[in-house]
Amino acid sequence: MRITVLAAAAALMITGTPAVQASGGPAVPRIDWAVCGAEHPGFECASVKVPLDYDAPRGATTTVALARKPATDKARRIGSLFLNPGGPGGSGVDFALGAGNTLSANLQGRFDIVGFDPRGIGKSDPLHCFASEAELDGFFEGIPGFPYQASQERPFYDRYRSLGPECRDDQKIAQHMSTADVARDMDLLRRAVGDRKISYLGFSYGSFLGTTYANLFPDNIRALVIDGVLDPELWSSGWQIKSDRIATKEEFREFLRTCDEANCVFGPRSEKRWDALLKSVRAKPIQLGDQTFTYDAVINAAIGAMYSPSDWPDAAELFDQLSDAAAGTLSAKAEPDYPNGFDAYNGNVCADIEFPRDFNSYRSISRYAAAGSEFGPAWWWGNAACANWPTNPDRYTGPWRTRTSAPVLVVGNHFDGVTDFRGAQAANRQLAGSRLLAYAGWGHTAYGVSQCATAHTNAYLLNGTLPPVGTVCPANPNPFLPSVASAEPLFKPARR
């Protein structure tokens, strides 16, 4: 599945030089902050050098890009709050530039809001598997978004399997993109900004970075929030499909239920209409205006809508038009320099996770995924990019059960079709002393969506106050109600 990320941010202004080297360890970089540019008033940008390989901390380096919104309340400044928007492949620089003002205001101006592009991503020595964006687009030509017919499986597998050598050859960063190395970078950045312990807010894949950091550096935690949580044991073992095969369906059933409850355009018998739409589009693509919708496109549209209930009304309208069109009641109508979200996603995932190498295993697990729901294969098949891609020897695969110097706040939505609530429950069990905050609503992540969850997160980040044990924030109103449908969430994490 092609991964999309936020648009590119302003060019970084300056490169920091290493400070005094600690004996036997990596140098703590000096960050030379400079204004990001007129288009980002009040923000500062920089880039620093960190070890390419922490097994050789005095050897080759790679570049990490940063952006920050400095604290406005200097007298009561707490320190830096590090962010990760998800992905993997999402730009923390873009996220800080886009959300920094709101986050700063939410947190009373007491933090420097700091985003960084993880190694190999965005402006941090980006991995590029293609010579141009046109070549990237060409990679997807002739194959579906995911295989939904048996005849499509082998060509899809062969195409994605070919990605490994294309990305690995002659690019040193491709050998060092594990989440464990990103966590090591983040701890070095913590020291560079002068914080004794880290404050962190991570969304989606950022939860895996957060739990990895917590297990590698358990004594360095001041306040760590993970929102939209991956079960690190499932993710790192390559079995996230156990969640994906059912999680999207669970939230999608809520999409259909609330649609009928609110008399949305895809109702009143939305589940029957959905089943009929899938049957029709699997047999024959649907022409809608000048666009052709295949089965995989419809499934991926549904998955995309599950990230944010604010998108549900538009998705329902699309499915209504497609259903009408299927029924015949609607008339028909140089140098690599491109956003590297797709490349970076695979560079990180394949570094972290040992996936099967042979076609028959992918086909077999696809059947298992499809038995969970119609969404399962869409989540599974993209992993074929790792079929010919070695894992990073410095990756971290556990153990995941540790006690941290301050309790971790774990936030999960009851109906999250991307990182299901069971992932938050698992992380809460694994991180000794952590606190689980539940949001009884829908969508991917709760911060900026639920006022209750946002307030509890802010209180924890500011002063360490945890919500009472068993706290469940109430669901927002039905997303299809007119007063709700227009409400956009404050933050939209990068898609994993």
Side-chain angles (χ1 to χ4, degrees):
M1 188 184 308
R2 189 168 181 176
I3 306 299
T4 59
V5 294
L6 302 174
L12 299 177
M13 304 299 296
I14 198 164
T15 298
T17 54
V20 177
Q21 179 112 26
S23 177
V28 178
R30 183 174 71 245
I31 307 178
D32 297 325
W33 296 103
V35 294
C36 296
E39 65 272 36
H40 297 294
F43 286 84
E44 298 173 338
C45 291
S47 63
V48 298
K49 298 293 187 181
V50 299
L52 179 67
D53 184 352
Y54 279 88
D55 291 331
R58 304 188 187 194
T61 61
T62 187
T63 300
V64 171
L66 306 94
R68 74 171 177 179
K69 168 70 176 179
T72 56
D73 188 343
K74 307 294 185 184
R76 298 192 303 153
R77 179 182 176 276
I78 294 171
S80 296
L81 176 65
F82 286 89
L83 308 176
N84 184 277
S91 168
V93 167
D94 289 358
F95 193 59
L97 293 174
N101 284 322
T102 301
L103 266 172
S104 181
N106 282 1
L107 296 168
Q108 303 170 18
R110 298 182 64 190
F111 285 98
D112 294 343
I113 307 299
V114 178
F116 69 98
D117 286 354
R119 51 174 56 210
I121 293 169
K123 297 185 182 300
S124 293
D125 193 6
L127 174 69
H128 279 116
C129 305
F130 306 95
S132 65
E133 189 165 11
E135 189 174 303
L136 166 65
D137 291 340
F139 176 85
F140 300 101
E141 290 180 1
I143 58 171
F146 66 91
Y148 57 93
Q149 296 174 351
S151 61
Q152 298 169 333
E153 292 176 341
R154 186 79 206 202
F156 184 97
Y157 169 81
D158 288 342
R159 181 74 58 84
Y160 266 65
R161 184 179 183 276
S162 72
L163 193 64
E166 291 289 337
C167 293
R168 296 195 317 267
D169 290 353
D170 301 322
Q171 295 195 72
K172 292 181 179 179
I173 191 62
Q175 311 301 321
H176 301 280
M177 285 184 64
S178 73
T179 299
D181 280 334
V182 177
R184 295 178 183 108
D185 291 343
M186 191 161 71
D187 197 60
L188 203 57
L189 295 174
R190 171 193 64 79
R191 296 167 62 191
V193 299
D195 286 358
R196 189 171 64 87
K197 296 189 176 183
I198 201 164
S199 299
Y200 174 80
L201 176 59
F203 300 94
S204 193
Y205 160 79
S207 71
F208 183 67
L209 173 58
T211 51
T212 300
Y213 184 93
N215 281 274
L216 288 175
F217 304 101
D219 296 329
N220 295 353
I221 310 297
R222 177 198 164 270
L224 192 147
V225 183
I226 50 178
D227 185 356
V229 183
L230 290 163
D231 178 344
E233 291 181 342
L234 280 186
W235 180 260
S236 63
S237 67
W239 279 104
Q240 179 63 24
I241 191 61
K242 289 183 177 180
S243 165
D244 292 339
R245 68 195 286 266
I246 54 176
T248 308
K249 182 68 171 181
E250 288 174 342
E251 186 183 358
F252 195 75
R253 286 197 184 102
E254 286 291 293
F255 167 88
L256 298 174
R257 182 187 66 79
T258 55
C259 170
D260 287 348
E261 184 181 77
N263 295 314
C264 91
V265 294
F266 195 49
R269 295 177 296 278
S270 59
E271 186 164 4
K272 289 185 177 179
R273 291 194 75 193
W274 172 252
D275 291 342
L277 171 58
L278 291 189
K279 183 178 180 180
S280 176
V281 75
R282 181 183 281 274
K284 180 182 179 182
I286 297 172
Q287 192 70 28
L288 188 63
D290 59 358
Q291 289 185 280
T292 300
F293 285 83
T294 51
Y295 176 87
D296 55 302
V298 175
I299 290 291
N300 283 335
I303 290 175
M306 295 304 98
Y307 279 78
S308 174
S310 64
D311 295 331
W312 287 10
D314 287 343
E317 186 164 346
L318 172 63
F319 299 149
D320 176 60
Q321 292 176 359
L322 288 170
S323 294
D324 287 347
T329 59
L330 184 72
S331 59
K333 28 185 193 175
E335 279 291 314
D337 183 18
Y338 59 87
N340 79 321
F342 175 75
D343 315 46
Y345 175 90
N346 291 299
N348 178 268
V349 169
C350 300
D352 276 347
I353 302 170
E354 182 74 45
F355 281 107
R357 302 296 182 188
D358 63 290
F359 169 67
N360 287 334
S361 293
Y362 280 89
R363 183 169 55 184
S364 174
I365 295 174
S366 176
R367 305 295 187 266
Y368 166 77
S373 76
E374 63 268 38
F375 304 106
W379 286 111
W380 169 248
W381 273 103
N383 297 320
C386 301
N388 190 18
W389 198 319
T391 55
N392 188 328
D394 293 325
R395 67 188 176 130
Y396 184 78
T397 59
W400 297 104
R401 298 173 186 273
T402 190
R403 180 174 292 276
T404 51
S405 55
V408 172
L409 180 60
V410 181
V411 186
N413 297 4
H414 280 180
F415 298 99
D416 183 337
V418 183
T419 56
D420 71 358
F421 189 61
R422 287 175 285 270
Q425 292 173 310
N428 176 229
R429 290 192 301 270
Q430 293 156 9
L431 291 164
S434 64
R435 184 64 50 85
L436 178 62
L437 173 63
Y439 166 52
W442 316 275
H444 184 41
T445 73
Y447 191 85
V449 176
S450 161
Q451 291 184 357
C452 165
T454 303
H456 280 302
T457 299
N458 291 341
Y460 167 74
L461 288 170
L462 285 166
N463 53 43
T465 302
L466 290 167
V469 174
T471 298
V472 179
C473 291
N476 289 341
N478 187 314
F480 289 100
L481 296 177
S483 60
V484 179
S486 60
E488 286 287 333
L490 290 177
F491 309 106
K492 284 193 174 184
R495 294 183 65 174
R496 57 157 272 242

